[in-house]
């Protein structure tokens, strides 16, 4: 199982700012991930929350349920959350940081990533394809 965890405001994807985030909704992305996961012999569990603690709980759940990998787009919590940094450090499950945009080409407050400091790796800047590329990396980590 691959957990695909999404943070604040990503429920609004596809409705605003398509120039930055693309026009796919999170449901569209989930559908593409499910299709590719099937081909790879994986399953995905795609979730979204606007609440930091839910993301922390789900990281713990990933470990407890022996998920193979977590893909994490923590939204703006990426740049603020020591709780997410600690949670990623606290679990053995590898976490791949995912972003639609490339935060390094944007405002300086997006250049620091607490998630990236703890994650196995980062894929950013490819729009919805960032998630698909991260799933390919997850398949290699899961050795399927
Ligand atoms: O590029 C990404 O995936 C981000 O994680 C998106 C976050 C942003 O704070 C990060 O720096 C980079 C913001 C998600 C906001 O999503 C929206 C969706 C539709 C309309 C407006 C915002």
């Amino acid at each position: 199982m691959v957990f695909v965890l999404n943070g604040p405001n990503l429920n609004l994807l596809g409705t605003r700012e398509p120039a930055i985030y693309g026009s796919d909704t999170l449901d569209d992305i989930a559908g593409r991930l499910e299709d590719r996961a099937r081909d790879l012999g994986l399953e995905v569990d795609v979730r979204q929350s606007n609440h930091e603690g839910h993301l922390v709980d789900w990281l713990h759940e990933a470990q407890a349920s022996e998920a193979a990998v977590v893909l994490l787009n923590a939204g703006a919590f990426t740049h603020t959350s020591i709780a997410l940094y600690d949670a990623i450090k606290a679990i053995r499950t590898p976490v791949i940081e995912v972003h639609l945009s490339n935060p390094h080409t944007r405002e300086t407050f997006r250049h620091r990533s607490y998630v990236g400091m703890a994650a196995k790796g980062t894929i950013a800047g490819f729009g919805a394809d960032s998630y698909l590329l991260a799933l390919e990396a997850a398949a290699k980590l899961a050795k399927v």
Side-chain angles (χ1 to χ4, degrees), residues 22-115:
S23 50
D24 285 336
T25 66
L26 195 56
D27 279 349
D28 294 334
I29 293 171
R32 290 177 63 190
L33 285 169
E34 282 158 13
D35 289 346
R36 183 62 187 140
R38 200 172 307 114
D39 292 345
L40 290 167
L42 290 168
E43 278 184 279
V44 288
D45 184 340
V46 182
R47 306 180 189 184
Q48 187 276 333
S49 177
N50 294 322
H51 304 277
E52 187 176 12
H54 288 164
L55 296 169
V56 171
D57 287 344
W58 291 341
L59 287 164
H60 297 174
E61 185 186 332
Q63 156 108 338
S65 65
E66 299 185 355
V69 183
V70 176
L71 312 187
L72 174 61
N73 184 350
F77 292 146
T78 300
H79 316 296
T80 62
S81 178
I82 297 168
L84 286 176
Y85 171 92
D86 285 344
I88 295 165
K89 286 286 195 182
I91 62 173
R92 285 184 302 278
T93 317
V95 175
I96 300 175
E97 179 186 28
V98 178
H99 297 289
L100 296 148
S101 65
N102 179 353
H104 294 287
T105 64
R106 303 181 62 195
E107 303 95 328
T108 51
F109 62 80
R110 298 187 200 275
H111 294 182
R112 180 178 59 190
S113 170
Y114 288 107
V115 169

Side-chain angles (χ1 to χ4, degrees), residues 7-17 22 24-26 48 50:
N9 298 308
L10 288 162
N11 54 311
L12 300 178
L13 266 188
T15 64
R16 288 182 46 213
E17 303 204 70
D24 285 336
T25 66
L26 195 56
Q48 187 276 333
N50 294 322

